[in-house]
Amino acid sequence: NAGVMQNPRHLVRRRGQEARLRCSPMKGHSHVYWYRQLPEEGLKFMVYLQKENIIDESGMPKERFSAEFPKEGPSILRIQQVVRGDSAAYFCASSATSWESAEAFFGQGTRLTVV
Amino acid sequence: ILNVEQSPQSLHVQEGDSTNFTCSFPSSNFYALHWYRWETAKSPEALFVMTLNGDEKKKGRISATLNTKEGYSYLYIKGSQPEDSATYLCAFKKSNNNDMRFGAGTRLTVKP
């Protein structure tokens, strides 16, 4: 049973390009969370999704950022027209039920560098 | 604003020392508290999920307590080993929020 898979592990984009980050949750998990870790900071919540639904996107910037978790396939975090300040590590986590009672499993993150 | 505070920010101990650190969170509308261990270049790994006031959980040399009325949780490590070196994160969920809010972590270094 593979863990949470994120790809790519490292992504370099020029300013203005688009970044697509993928997260395949653990088998049987239908809850996905995305977090961002800025340099020298902790994990900051971005968005919580269940299959085909965005439950809470209160931590995600309203411009340029979007997330989806389709019925089939991985969850995608999309950043359009990237800027240098988007450089960070992006982690996703998945759980079988909503987070309050079940532990979440994290992927190894995607490190985005905007040059 | 939902603030989760962890202290200290970093800690250096000798092998064999016992240590503890704190996670503080708002006590109203408490739902769950999680502790994670995060080693460099790896992903955070769940240690404990705590939901009840007075909860005490143990895994080997690591244990945690929870006080939801005053809004804190302690993580204890008995007889620290170099392999315990990691960042320890706590994450808090309110009953009317969907997300888990993470603290900035306590970075533990255990010197042999």
Side-chain angles (χ1 to χ4, degrees), chain A residues 6 19 44 52 57 61 68 72 93 97-98 101 115:
Chain A
Q6 286 188 251
K44 295 277 197 282
E52 300 185 273
E57 55 184 348
E68 62 177 18
E72 302 289 339
T97 61
S98 62
S101 55
V115 297

Side-chain angles (χ1 to χ4, degrees), chain A residues 99-104 106, chain B residues 21 23 30 32-38 44-52 55-66 73-78 88-93 100 102:
Chain A
W99 206 319
E100 51 263 25
S101 55
E103 65 185 81
F106 279 82
Chain B
F21 21 94
C23 172
F30 174 85
L33 187 100
H34 292 221
W35 280 99
Y36 287 84
R37 181 170 178 276
W38 194 2
E45 178 191 338
L47 284 173
F48 304 115
V49 176
M50 308 178 84
T51 54
L52 297 174
D55 249 358
E56 200 167 319
K57 300 243 173 159
K58 191 174 179 187
K59 192 183 277 191
R61 293 178 293 99
I62 306 178
S63 60
T65 59
L66 178 66
S73 174
Y74 292 138
L75 190 80
Y76 300 91
I77 303 179
K78 189 176 174 184
Y88 291 82
L89 297 168
C90 73
F92 163 72
K93 185 184 183 306
M100 293 293 289
F102 281 81

Side-chain angles (χ1 to χ4, degrees), chain A residues 9 33 35 37 42-43 45 48 55-56 58 91 99-104 106-108, chain B residues 31-32 34 36 38 41-44 46 49 51 89 93 98-104:
Chain A
R9 291 289 305 278
Y33 304 76
Y35 286 81
Q37 185 196 26
L43 289 170
F45 167 76
Y48 164 37
I55 306 301
D56 184 343
S58 59
F91 288 88
W99 206 319
E100 51 263 25
S101 55
E103 65 185 81
F106 279 82
Q108 291 201 292
Chain B
Y31 208 95
H34 292 221
Y36 287 84
W38 194 2
K42 294 186 179 178
S43 50
V49 176
T51 54
L89 297 168
K93 185 184 183 306
N98 286 308
D99 62 294
M100 293 293 289
R101 298 294 171 108
F102 281 81

Side-chain angles (χ1 to χ4, degrees), chain A residues 23-68:
Chain A
C23 170
S24 296
M26 282 184 72
K27 191 177 177 182
H29 285 190
S30 59
H31 299 250
V32 166
Y33 304 76
W34 284 92
Y35 286 81
R36 174 163 66 172
Q37 185 196 26
L38 292 166
E40 306 302 318
E41 292 188 23
L43 289 170
K44 295 277 197 282
F45 167 76
M46 296 183 75
V47 61
Y48 164 37
L49 309 106
Q50 291 181 29
K51 281 283 185 184
E52 300 185 273
N53 287 308
I54 296 175
I55 306 301
D56 184 343
E57 55 184 348
S58 59
M60 198 158 66
K62 295 202 180 340
E63 313 248 326
R64 303 188 297 108
F65 284 73
S66 62
E68 62 177 18

